[in-house]
Every structure is written in structure tokens, then in C-alpha cells.
Amino acid sequence: QVQLVESGGGLVQAGGSLRLSCAASGRTFSTYAMGWFRQAPGKEREFVAIINWSGDSTSYADSVKGRFTISRDNAKNTVYLRMNSLKPEDTAVYFCAATLRYGSSWSARASPDNYDYWGQGTQVTVSS
């Protein structure tokens, strides 16, 4: 069982930056690949990024590539999402999620069905 708690969301102007954190409980955190998703009002949950258990492999959605960076600190049981050059269209509730399956394809990594545990989410609002 893994419990996930996100933090770091807030209101920021376009072009600004935020760093989200996701703290995980449990001694097996380092065995999980960790992902970030987001969901805007009226839209489906959307994949943002994933990092494998050791932190040496990542994948990103095209919409955030070059602006967002996912990282993890297994000693602190925490995964991060650094978001730079934020745009109004990045406004959403951001969720972290854990999976034992990093996935052999981008589509597998991007599917919410691939993830076993989810946090409650943190709101990110980007004003224009």
C-alpha cells in the first residue's frame, strides 16, 4: 500500500514557475515508477510525466516537454515536478501516481489505467 500526498500548487502568472512535490508513505517507494497527471475542468485526466524507479529514465507529454522536469529523491520518498514557463493552459489539478510497471511504450506509461495508487491532487492556476 502506498499513500501519496501532493503539495506546492498555487496561483502563478504566465511565464512563472512552480515546483510540485509528492510525498509517499511506505518503505517500498523506490520500487515504484512515479507519474504526474493533470485534469482541467470538463476534461479527461491527462498524462504529464513519468520517472522510473531509479530516476534515470523519464517520459513527458509533448505539451510540457522542455518546460517541465520530473525528478525523485528515494531517500526522502518524494517525487517532484518542476514547472517552468507556465501557460494558462497548464491550469489544472495535478495528481501524482505510483505504478510497479514503468511500461515498455509511451502509451502504456501515459495511461491512467497503468497506475495503482493516486494522490488527492493539488490545484495549479496560471493567470494570463
Side-chain angles (χ1 to χ4, degrees):
Q1 188 80 5
V2 177
Q3 291 184 325
L4 305 172
V5 179
E6 302 95 336
S7 62
L11 174 63
V12 64
Q13 288 187 334
S17 298
L18 282 175
R19 189 181 78 159
L20 305 183
S21 299
C22 173
S25 65
R27 294 174 293 176
T28 60
F29 173 75
S30 62
T31 66
Y32 286 85
M34 299 297 298
W36 285 96
F37 286 75
R38 65 187 182 186
Q39 189 165 19
K43 295 188 176 181
E44 293 186 351
R45 193 163 295 192
E46 174 190 27
F47 170 76
V48 175
I50 185 174
I51 188 167
N52 72 340
W53 67 273
S54 63
D56 61 2
S57 182
T58 58
S59 291
Y60 295 91
D62 286 344
S63 58
V64 307
K65 201 172 294 183
R67 300 188 297 123
F68 291 11
T69 302
I70 189 171
S71 61
R72 68 188 296 159
D73 185 338
N74 286 344
K76 296 182 178 180
N77 279 15
T78 302
V79 63
Y80 304 98
L81 185 69
R82 177 67 180 182
M83 305 185 294
N84 295 329
S85 302
L86 283 162
K87 305 174 181 179
E89 52 263 44
D90 293 318
T91 295
V93 177
Y94 283 71
F95 300 89
C96 69
T99 177
L100 289 172
R101 302 167 297 279
Y102 183 61
S104 58
S105 68
W106 188 94
S107 60
R109 297 168 193 166
S111 171
D113 294 339
N114 188 46
Y115 294 78
D116 305 301
Y117 302 101
W118 292 85
Q120 294 300 307
T122 185
Q123 176 71 46
V124 171
T125 303
V126 184
S127 63
S128 57

